[in-house]
Amino acid sequence: MNFPPILECKNLGKRYEAPVFDRFNLSLPCGKIIGLLGPNGSGKTTLIKLAAGLLTADSGEILIGGIRPCEKSKGIVSYLPERNSLPEWMNTEELIAFFCEFFSDFDASRAQEMIRDLQINPKARIKTLSKGTKEKVQLIMVMSRNARLYLLDEPIGGVDPATRDYILRTIIKNYQPTSTILLSTHLIADVEPVLDDFLFLKNGKIVRSGNVKEFCTVQECTLDEAFRREFRC
Ligand code: ADP
């Protein structure tokens, strides 16, 4: 069965002082884990925030499951911001209850299982947790929703390599085959094994994209090597 694209940009324009996107076009299919990869300032966070409905386009449009970002689209999008945004005064038990109330697609038992696996004290207030642990908790919350589109902005940047593996396995384990994950990261070698597709973004333009395995077979290199080659300073 063919599903319509989960995320589409049509002649999208967005600028701050200078343009970030100018007549940008993109179509992301359902059922893929897609790496959004590019150097600093290429527009990754801006694109993710536009899709999450936190920024509005200046021109053109961005569509989530065929509709413009709104309350309804936010109901099918699970967004992990680049910075921690958890309520610091809560503990993770309270956080899970809060998410249950807020998101009808939130799976509390999945969140509890991950909190247990990562040996996070459910009674400890968020503000007392280390930076890396806060990141883990935030990612657990985001991945415990049954969303259609997950937007993960640098999900593993602050966590140690061993936990990265757990988190990536967790992403795969909990991921529904009809959902799409758009994941931005600099840690390409770490995420490469879990990605289906990739997008190389440079100055607000897709300069290369495709299926990771096919691309790497043809190019006879890893995605990490291809990235370094593409964006060599
Ligand atoms: P990336 O996530 O790939 O590092 P960003 O989307 O954060 O890139 O930034 C893209 C461009 O937009 C950069 O040139 C950045 O300086 C600029 N930019 C991002 N946010 C703002 C802002 N709030 N005000 C002004 N310029 C911004």
Side-chain angles (χ1 to χ4, degrees):
M1 187 173 166
N2 271 338
F3 291 96
I6 186 66
L7 174 71
E8 269 183 300
C9 299
K10 297 181 178 174
N11 292 320
L12 179 75
K14 178 69 190 172
R15 62 176 296 133
Y16 295 105
E17 284 87 25
V20 182
F21 294 108
D22 181 22
R23 280 164 286 171
F24 178 80
N25 290 292
L26 179 68
S27 178
L28 298 186
C30 294
K32 301 273 185 195
I33 302 182
I34 303 165
L36 177 62
L37 312 171
N40 292 329
S42 53
K44 302 180 299 294
T45 295
T46 303
L47 180 62
I48 286 177
K49 283 185 176 170
L50 284 161
L54 297 177
L55 291 174
T56 50
D58 298 330
S59 55
E61 57 183 4
I62 185 160
L63 302 173
I64 311 296
I67 57 171
R68 289 187 174 195
C70 59
E71 282 314 306
K72 192 171 165 206
S73 77
K74 284 182 189 172
I76 60 167
V77 171
S78 191
Y79 164 61
L80 180 86
E82 55 178 339
R83 287 195 191 87
N84 195 288
S85 63
L86 296 172
E88 296 266 323
W89 66 92
M90 286 189 186
N91 64 34
T92 54
E93 260 176 12
E94 291 162 339
L95 196 62
I96 289 170
F98 176 72
F99 267 69
C100 276
E101 209 166 299
F102 213 77
F103 298 108
S104 58
D105 62 357
F106 190 77
D107 184 339
S109 55
R110 190 192 296 172
Q112 282 152 351
E113 186 189 328
M114 288 194 261
I115 295 281
R116 256 197 320 272
D117 281 355
L118 286 177
Q119 291 160 5
I120 297 167
N121 175 2
K123 301 279 185 204
R125 293 198 188 283
I126 306 291
K127 69 176 172 201
T128 66
L129 303 176
S130 70
K131 184 169 173 280
T133 305
K134 284 181 192 174
E135 277 197 27
K136 290 175 211 168
V137 171
Q138 181 142 315
L139 186 63
I140 288 170
M141 294 298 138
V142 168
M143 292 311 297
S144 295
R145 287 186 55 199
N146 288 308
R148 297 267 323 280
L149 176 63
Y150 297 88
L151 300 168
L152 310 180
D153 199 350
E154 285 287 347
I156 53 170
V159 299
D160 60 88
T163 311
R164 260 178 228 161
D165 290 344
Y166 173 86
I167 286 177
L168 291 170
R169 279 201 312 274
T170 304
I171 288 177
I172 298 290
K173 193 171 107 192
N174 295 315
Y175 153 78
Q176 313 287 317
T178 52
S179 300
T180 287
I181 300 177
L182 182 66
L183 181 164
S184 95
T185 184
H186 294 296
L187 298 165
I188 300 169
D190 287 280
V191 299
E192 196 170 335
V194 309
L195 297 181
D196 297 306
D197 293 348
F198 73 98
L199 303 166
F200 280 177
L201 190 68
K202 186 178 189 178
N203 297 328
K205 294 190 172 50
I206 306 286
V207 291
R208 229 175 254 278
S209 63
N211 175 274
V212 174
K213 278 203 185 79
E214 284 168 17
F215 175 80
C216 291
T217 306
V218 172
Q219 300 291 322
E220 296 182 341
C221 67
T222 65
L223 194 63
D224 188 51
E225 285 162 353
F227 181 91
R228 286 167 201 263
R229 220 176 279 160
E230 185 79 43
F231 298 108
R232 187 169 289 141
C233 299

